[in-house]
Amino acid sequence: MDLVAGAVCSIIRKLGTLLQAEYKLQKGLPEEIESLRHELETAHTALRMVGEVPREQLDPQVKQWASEVREASYDMKDILDSFLVHVVDAAAPGRSKNGLRKLLQKKMAMLFSKAKGRHTIAGAIEEMKRRLQEVADRRNRYAIPVALPAPVTTTLDPRLAYMDTDATLLIGVDKTRADLIAMLQHSSSGGHGHGEAHVSSGGGSSSKMKIVSVVGVGGLGKTTLAKAVYDEFKQQYDCAAFVSVGRKPDLVQVFSSIFYDLDREEYDAIREVKSLQLLIRELRKFLRNKRYFIIIDDVWDIPSWETIKSALDQNSSGSRVITTTRNRDIASEEVYELDPLSYDNSKKLFYTRLFGREGRCPADHPDEVSKKILDKCGGVPLAIITMASLLVGKSREDWFEVCNSPGFYRGKDNKQVDDTVWILSLSYYDLPSYLKTCLLYLSVYPEDHLIEKSSLIWKWIAEGFIEQKAGTSLSQQGDEYFHQLINRSMIQAVEEEERGICGCRVHDMVLDLIRDLSDEVSFVTVSNDDEGISSGGKVRRLAQQRRMVKHTHRHDVVAQVRSLVACGCDVVLHLSFKLLRVLDLESCRLVRNNGGHGLEHLGNLLHLRYLGLRNMKHLRLPEEIGALKHLQTLDLKGSTTPLLPWSICQLTQLACLRSGLSLVPDGFLRKVTSLEELEINGSGGYMDEGSERQFIQELGNLREVRVLRVLFFGVLSPSMQSDLLLSLGNLQKLRHLALRSFEQAAATREWDTVVLPRHLRLLVIQIVLFPCLPSWVNPAHLTSFSHLELFVDRIDEAGLTALGGLPELSYLSLRCFSLMMSYSKTTLVAAGITSTDGFFKKLRCFYLEGWIVQLVISEDSTSVSFLTWNGKGDIAFSSSETQSRVVAPAVAFMPNLQELAFDVPVEALYRLAVAF
């Protein structure tokens, strides 16, 4: 029902836009539009209330009413969209009022002559009012009172952050991981229990290739366990890979993914290969005589596993393979049966998610309520975390209400579902209506697909799912929606060391749920592999997943499509897609129309807000792209298109451009100043220094930009650096800034005068080499700073202290390539530091390229010495210092560090050893 409410809300906004347009409507029409708007507002209020009620608890006539309102709203939306697009075009500068009025009259006649019932727009509005009035009585008879939903959290819940990012802290994983590692390293003669798992073994030599199958029901954490083992041991093997298979696997894609993880050069050699037999042969050849470690995750059927297994070379190099599956029949050789968590571990996980690392339950939440909830969860981690996410911040009375609620979701064909799915559905129905819409949209993606956060948010914006708030941009609001879904455990965050949370995945049980719910209201239609579109009704959003084109879709089927998302498909783009707002093609091949280049009709998609053409070879954008006046996102990442057409300078509403290595035309940054996210080639298409300086100066026009990534190809002269700093000074809304180059210049003194935006979170400067840490690294100013990459010639105590004091810093990379730097010794003294403070208190990854590092705790545990040497001059590391007591210092020093990487100058150490 919440989907219907969203559609109605969109119509209300559009009717308001229509009333504000500067032209004369047909006599009496403004009053009719206003009346319709009031009627829709009343319907919207009722729908929002109904949307909070689980679908299974609704009266059938209420469902019917909502369905009728939905279809009527979609029809009206199509009419208004078509009308408003042409109004905007007609209102372009340079048109006279008389010419505008005549053009509007002509457009009105053309646009609405084909409206439902062949009515004019006035007739269509009158018909809409009549249809709404007919069902209004039904609504009144079957109204259902519903309590307002609880307020939602709009920032990422810190309790999830440490649980999701460090597998060693996941409850129960430490024990099962140790057991699984033992199975991989040794052979056993029989089955025996391992805590919350049961192991059976077939024996064999540890030097032989061994396959261990992790078996268990959905939601137990099989993937989490396998990933924890993979992350710990992959460095000990010649090569390693982690791939997901899924229920309907494309085995060619599976083998390509294996090659991608094993060896990027081998992947480049086979990426165009579509023959499964050839891929199997090449993989066996590559693995021969190699010690490899491969995880085959989420295997559903025996034939797929047998095919994959046939490519794994049975060598005697000590290779290891782990499979995860729900199907015991698929398991081969040694089996690790993962059982549900014990009650104690279930309780610990539940309370940790609710109340943080300590996991202490308040006195007003008695154990009997928790026990009833945990009994329902059955020891399944997915169910426990989801239920805890549902109860975060709720009162004791809410806990009782949740644990006493009936199992209302039955899935397809009214079949009873298990408790985990029931809990997931509880969490879904607890979502605010706008989040439900955003979540259901994820059903357009294939199973196990890595969904990029930024791309997803811009699609939400294009679809109109994001509600505008004063003082907040749509992209910021979309980021809050994304974090809310993570907090409620409806999506699983995907985090990278460098970028933090960059995307998400949807657990297959959640995906099943949202696909069922989406099917009920025809929200998304997934195209079958062989039969094309399976929906019998109108198609509003179409998803094509790894499907070769065997026929084109009928015009009457796709004429109403507003969103087309395709992955790994052959795609025919034709005129029938006239209402498209989202066109997202990833790793697709455009099928040409009558000898064209596949995009010849692109300029006709006047409603388009999002255009994604990612990872596509030999892409050529037509000049007609300039006609897409409403385009907000143009994503060409990974595609090969050398030069963008000049007409993109006409896309004045563009908010996100990812051009990759493509060159933009001269003057683009001067004309398109609405950008909030920009990834661009710093050469800008220019050949001489003067033009490149112009490009750098024009960066300062982007006063709305929040994410800026620029790749330069040459050395920036001092004058260019000066221009760049002036431009950066205008960009006060920046959150992410990455400036990279293949060659570095010496940093000018002007860099010390930089004043960075206070809310900057990510900074990468690899275009200059700083003599020492810049003075603008200031903990008092950069309170949100979490990621920093710099080229620095020297580290002194003041600089390291400043870095260590950055409160949110989690990733730090410092590189030095100077041949003149010698040994430096930095001591961080704990005087004046309180117990709640510390150095690098949130740092997780620390990379020092060009130095060897020694950390020494003082005898009285009040300070930490940080010593570095780059292989030049005499080494001053003391053997007595290295034998100091290993105790925790009074001040926490890198308490959350997971990875510390530095160089060891072996040649320099050898020379010193020989000299002594």
Side-chain angles (χ1 to χ4, degrees), residues 604-665:
N604 295 317
L605 306 180
L606 300 179
H607 298 273
L608 209 59
R609 265 73 171 173
Y610 182 102
L611 177 58
L613 302 169
R614 295 170 59 113
N615 300 322
M616 297 175 66
K617 288 194 171 185
H618 311 299
L619 182 67
R620 192 183 78 186
L621 292 179
E623 285 289 344
E624 289 76 13
I625 193 175
L628 307 180
K629 305 297 185 184
H630 300 277
L631 194 66
Q632 299 167 326
T633 301
L634 178 58
D635 190 351
L636 306 173
K637 196 168 184 177
S639 294
T640 54
T641 175
L643 181 64
L644 301 182
W646 181 89
S647 60
I648 69 164
C649 296
Q650 299 172 359
L651 306 179
T652 55
Q653 294 190 31
L654 202 63
C656 173
L657 171 63
R658 295 174 177 175
S659 65
L661 295 178
S662 302
L663 303 180
V664 297

Side-chain angles (χ1 to χ4, degrees), residues 244-247 296-300 324-326 447-448 508:
S244 292
V245 179
R247 276 169 288 193
I296 307 297
D297 183 47
D298 197 25
V299 184
W300 283 73
T324 71
T325 181
R326 301 184 191 183
E447 185 179 352
D448 297 321
D508 52 16

Side-chain angles (χ1 to χ4, degrees), residues 403-417:
C403 67
N404 290 325
S405 60
F408 50 79
Y409 179 78
R410 290 182 173 272
K412 285 185 178 180
D413 304 323
N414 204 36
K415 293 180 179 178
Q416 185 64 48
V417 297

Side-chain angles (χ1 to χ4, degrees), residues 295-450:
I295 310 291
I296 307 297
D297 183 47
D298 197 25
V299 184
W300 283 73
D301 63 274
I302 294 175
S304 295
W305 166 235
E306 291 297 333
T307 301
I308 296 170
K309 184 180 178 182
S310 69
L312 303 177
D313 187 75
Q314 303 280 335
N315 60 41
S316 299
S317 302
S319 298
R320 297 293 182 263
V321 175
I322 296 177
T323 67
T324 71
T325 181
R326 301 184 191 183
N327 187 348
R328 184 62 172 79
D329 293 335
I330 292 175
S332 58
E333 298 188 12
E334 302 189 22
V335 178
Y336 190 93
E337 294 188 359
L338 192 60
D339 292 334
L341 294 177
S342 66
Y343 179 78
D344 287 342
N345 274 339
S346 296
K347 185 176 178 180
K348 186 177 180 181
L349 177 59
F350 184 62
Y351 284 169
T352 299
R353 171 65 186 98
L354 278 166
F355 307 117
R357 187 185 294 261
E358 297 300 323
R360 294 176 181 174
C361 180
D364 60 346
H365 288 78
D367 277 347
E368 61 265 22
V369 183
S370 300
K371 186 177 188 307
K372 188 171 183 179
I373 291 172
L374 291 176
D375 286 344
K376 193 70 173 174
C377 293
V380 178
L382 177 64
I384 296 168
I385 293 172
T386 302
M387 182 63 85
S389 300
L390 175 65
L391 296 174
V392 166
K394 293 192 174 181
S395 67
R396 178 175 178 270
E397 290 72 22
D398 291 331
W399 283 40
F400 277 109
E401 182 179 347
V402 168
C403 67
N404 290 325
S405 60
F408 50 79
Y409 179 78
R410 290 182 173 272
K412 285 185 178 180
D413 304 323
N414 204 36
K415 293 180 179 178
Q416 185 64 48
V417 297
D418 62 26
D419 288 339
T420 301
V421 178
W422 172 77
I423 291 168
L424 292 173
S425 64
L426 268 182
S427 188
Y428 169 80
Y429 282 110
D430 188 62
L431 295 174
S433 59
Y434 56 85
L435 280 187
K436 292 176 185 172
T437 306
C438 292
L439 180 64
L440 290 194
Y441 191 78
L442 301 183
S443 59
V444 303
Y445 294 101
E447 185 179 352
D448 297 321
H449 189 73
L450 171 57

Side-chain angles (χ1 to χ4, degrees), residues 529-633:
D529 290 340
D530 299 317
E531 300 175 2
I533 294 175
S534 58
S535 174
K538 289 185 177 179
V539 178
R540 304 290 178 178
R541 296 174 184 87
L542 176 60
Q544 292 188 181
Q545 298 165 1
R546 297 189 174 92
R547 173 178 174 273
M548 299 298 104
V549 170
K550 295 184 179 180
H551 60 276
T552 58
H553 301 304
R554 301 195 320 268
H555 169 80
D556 60 324
V557 172
V558 300
Q560 308 300 319
V561 172
R562 305 177 70 84
S563 183
L564 172 59
V565 179
C567 180
C569 299
D570 288 353
V571 176
V572 177
L573 188 64
H574 47 69
L575 285 171
S576 299
F577 293 108
K578 60 182 180 180
L579 292 176
L580 273 181
R581 295 172 67 95
V582 172
L583 176 60
D584 183 27
L585 309 180
E586 182 171 353
S587 303
C588 291
R589 184 174 68 90
L590 289 167
V591 178
R592 298 180 177 182
N593 291 301
N594 300 321
H597 51 71
L599 291 174
E600 52 268 16
H601 299 310
L602 185 63
N604 295 317
L605 306 180
L606 300 179
H607 298 273
L608 209 59
R609 265 73 171 173
Y610 182 102
L611 177 58
L613 302 169
R614 295 170 59 113
N615 300 322
M616 297 175 66
K617 288 194 171 185
H618 311 299
L619 182 67
R620 192 183 78 186
L621 292 179
E623 285 289 344
E624 289 76 13
I625 193 175
L628 307 180
K629 305 297 185 184
H630 300 277
L631 194 66
Q632 299 167 326
T633 301

Side-chain angles (χ1 to χ4, degrees), residues 1-9 12-13 40-53 65-66 139 144-149 429 431-437 467 481:
M1 301 310 107
D2 40 277
L3 305 180
V4 186
V8 171
C9 185
I12 294 171
R13 291 196 300 265
L40 287 170
E41 286 172 346
T42 302
H44 180 254
T45 301
L47 286 166
R48 288 291 294 268
M49 296 179 66
V50 172
E52 304 303 327
V53 179
W65 165 66
R139 179 201 64 204
I144 299 176
V146 181
L148 292 175
Y429 282 110
L431 295 174
S433 59
Y434 56 85
L435 280 187
K436 292 176 185 172
T437 306
E467 298 179 3
Y481 287 10

Side-chain angles (χ1 to χ4, degrees), residues 85-142:
V85 162
H86 288 279
V87 166
V88 171
D89 290 343
R95 295 189 183 275
S96 66
K97 290 185 177 180
N98 289 335
L100 173 60
R101 188 175 293 112
K102 290 180 180 179
L103 182 58
L104 284 174
Q105 292 172 351
K106 181 179 179 181
K107 293 290 186 183
M108 289 277 286
M110 293 174 60
L111 286 170
F112 302 114
S113 62
K114 297 181 179 180
K116 191 166 185 174
R118 301 292 179 179
H119 290 295
T120 62
I121 186 172
I125 290 175
E126 184 62 35
E127 175 68 12
M128 172 68 82
K129 288 178 62 179
R130 186 189 65 78
R131 290 170 63 182
L132 291 178
Q133 187 62 46
E134 283 182 357
V135 296
D137 294 338
R138 258 181 244 130
R139 179 201 64 204
N140 293 333
R141 287 196 296 271
Y142 295 96

